[in-house]
Amino acid sequence: MLDSVTPFLSNPLWFYKRPRKRSCYRSSQKQNKTKQNNKTSMSCSTPFKMRLVHLDLKGAPPKVSYFSEVFPLFHALGANGLLIEYEDMFPYEGHLRLLRAKHAYSHSEVTEILRLARLSELEVVPLVQTFGHMEFVLKHAAFVHLREVALFPNTLNPHEAESLALVKDMIDQILELHRGVRWLHIGCDEVYYLGEGETSKQWLQQKQNSHAKLCLSHMQAVASHVVSQHPGTTPLVWDDMLRDIPQEQLQASGVPQLVEPVLWDYGADLDVHSKIFLMGKYQECGFQRLWAASAFKGATGASQALPPVEHHIRNHEQWLQVAGRGPVDSLQGIILTGWQRYDHFSVLCELLPVGIPSLAACLQSLVHGGFGDDVKLRVQHFLGVSSLETMDPVSEGAGSFPGSDIHALVTQISLHLHSSVDILLERNRFVTGWFSPYHRRRKYIHPVMIQHIQPEALSLLNRWSNLVQQLEAALQLTFYPDTVEEWLEENVLPSMQRLQGLLQDLGEAAAPRPPPASPGWDTGQNP
């Protein structure tokens, strides 16, 4: 699989395929019980009519088989919709075919995802970026000329007619496979460097023009296409580019009659008062419906491996306060974002299976209006875990939800692999005292010290090799090869290479050779 990793994966467990555990809701008897419990939970008061789980497919996109396992869980926990951000996983055709990733879903696979969603009563809202975060399009040579700033592939040049034509084609192809959807998310967040292109600079020199007008005009053009060509489908937009635009300008732009803004904030300490104030502003501008967006993973660090569950629970509790204290029935729903990369070029953050306990806690918090002890116990029972804190064990009791084996192994490796290698290399007195980097470069060691260092290093290497083999087998069941390779190379390989390097240096130092002539090491040849 991964050439740079396979040297340490040499024991028989290399071919081990860990069986997928049966979740607590998979048997027919327990499935019926879950349905009854779910009906009870849905009867609880929640201010969010729509609760969408965000699937960010620009990193670690799961195989369709995993969706068949996890969609019923989403529904049972309280979700009734999905926000699917395809990016390069969508099977674009024609001149857009080059946007496809190596393992992009086929048309039949997208159709199957939609069928699985319907079976679990999850309404699908597709998301296609149309302004900012366009790296997956503008990185290609064929579209470089459509960048706002030539050097940066993130923002589309709104002045080019071809830019709007490109976006319209992407939207039409997405909606061709998602006929009848009530909403389409058109992104429009973090439109960095807008106004900094040469054409924009010239345009902005005209007195009546501004950055806000430039942003709103493109947003209006894209949304108008959706509304006119796909009746019944309403565009959603992230709200960050709208927040600071004067109310009068928003009202005059026509945008409030076309889109529904999604107010996003992933902080554990979000300012409830300022969100309520912003909601009032948007309503006065003419926006008919508003949405909220929280986060269950992917919002606390670009290279985060394990989600801080308490942070995300607190974020949802704050949003409940916003909904409870804001204008009545002003929020259409909430999107629980689960970012997989911060942008197209960044590293992977928490994998979807690793984020399931956090998602479960957040969904149940929304359904029950908070995360009291009773809700916590309910979630733990549902997932088959003894605690929602960072779980450490690698055992059959580590969970019974889809991907719980991945969750347990990623937790073990993330918490202990790097630190255990650090302890051996930087705190073991035999290594630091008799086989320092200086010694290792010269392959020189007291023979007795090999007996003190080598067994522990081998034991550590074997232990982690075993766990990594199990994790790789589990990852291969859920993800495509490039995801498995990337996660292992980022999170496992550096520590394993350090261990391998120590053992290799020990082996070379143990080989018979003339002792080095050094003032610090008496060879016995001096008089």
Side-chain angles (χ1 to χ4, degrees), residues 386-440:
S386 58
S387 172
L388 285 177
E389 308 305 321
T390 300
M391 290 175 282
D392 195 4
V394 181
S395 67
E396 290 304 312
S400 56
F401 57 90
S404 56
D405 47 357
I406 293 175
H407 178 278
L409 289 160
V410 166
T411 300
Q412 181 84 339
I413 288 169
S414 298
L415 291 179
H416 300 301
L417 172 57
H418 183 76
S419 60
S420 67
V421 174
D422 277 351
I423 289 171
L424 176 65
L425 295 181
E426 299 172 15
R427 302 184 197 174
N428 182 291
R429 67 190 183 95
F430 301 112
V431 175
T432 59
W434 282 268
F435 206 46
S436 69
Y438 183 83
H439 291 75
R440 288 177 63 178

Side-chain angles (χ1 to χ4, degrees), residues 1-9 14-15 17 63 102-103 468-469 471-477 479-493:
M1 195 284 307
L2 179 58
D3 291 341
S4 54
V5 173
T6 50
F8 66 81
L9 304 180
W14 169 249
F15 296 102
K17 298 291 183 184
K63 295 178 180 178
K102 180 179 181 181
H103 299 287
V468 171
Q469 289 160 24
L471 175 59
E472 181 168 11
L475 290 172
Q476 287 172 340
L477 293 177
F479 298 106
Y480 297 98
D482 53 352
T483 295
V484 181
E485 178 180 16
E486 180 178 357
W487 199 92
L488 292 177
E489 189 166 332
E490 288 281 354
N491 297 279
V492 173
L493 185 60

Side-chain angles (χ1 to χ4, degrees), residues 236-255:
L236 305 181
V237 296
W238 301 117
D239 84 308
D240 53 285
M241 298 301 294
L242 303 175
R243 293 171 191 166
D244 297 327
I245 296 178
Q247 188 168 320
E248 302 76 23
Q249 193 168 2
L250 273 176
Q251 288 174 319
S253 69
V255 169

Side-chain angles (χ1 to χ4, degrees), residues 247-441:
Q247 188 168 320
E248 302 76 23
Q249 193 168 2
L250 273 176
Q251 288 174 319
S253 69
V255 169
Q257 288 70 48
L258 295 170
V259 309
E260 296 176 5
V262 183
L263 291 73
W264 61 270
D265 194 319
Y266 312 141
D269 57 351
L270 71 85
D271 188 331
V272 173
H273 177 75
S274 68
K275 287 292 178 293
I276 294 172
F277 177 82
L278 188 59
M279 289 165 60
K281 171 187 172 180
Y282 287 154
Q283 287 187 319
E284 291 177 8
C285 289
F287 290 103
Q288 298 300 309
R289 293 187 180 88
L290 308 175
W291 293 69
S294 56
F296 71 91
K297 76 174 187 75
T300 57
S303 59
Q304 189 85 21
L306 302 173
V309 178
E310 289 186 5
H311 172 101
H312 296 297
I313 292 173
R314 180 61 179 160
N315 175 241
H316 286 79
E317 289 176 335
Q318 295 293 91
W319 273 115
L320 283 167
Q321 288 192 44
V322 173
R325 293 163 51 185
V328 178
D329 296 329
S330 57
L331 289 173
Q332 173 75 17
I334 186 169
I335 298 168
L336 294 85
T337 63
W339 301 103
Q340 194 55 74
R341 296 189 197 277
Y342 276 30
D343 64 45
H344 187 78
F345 290 97
S346 66
V347 298
L348 294 172
C349 42
E350 306 100 311
L351 298 173
L352 179 57
V354 180
I356 294 298
S358 178
L359 174 63
C362 295
L363 275 170
Q364 284 288 285
S365 296
L366 295 177
V367 168
H368 293 284
F371 195 69
D373 289 342
D374 56 334
V375 178
K376 182 177 181 180
L377 289 173
R378 179 186 178 90
V379 172
Q380 290 174 180
H381 175 74
F382 212 104
L383 300 177
V385 301
S386 58
S387 172
L388 285 177
E389 308 305 321
T390 300
M391 290 175 282
D392 195 4
V394 181
S395 67
E396 290 304 312
S400 56
F401 57 90
S404 56
D405 47 357
I406 293 175
H407 178 278
L409 289 160
V410 166
T411 300
Q412 181 84 339
I413 288 169
S414 298
L415 291 179
H416 300 301
L417 172 57
H418 183 76
S419 60
S420 67
V421 174
D422 277 351
I423 289 171
L424 176 65
L425 295 181
E426 299 172 15
R427 302 184 197 174
N428 182 291
R429 67 190 183 95
F430 301 112
V431 175
T432 59
W434 282 268
F435 206 46
S436 69
Y438 183 83
H439 291 75
R440 288 177 63 178
R441 283 193 296 271

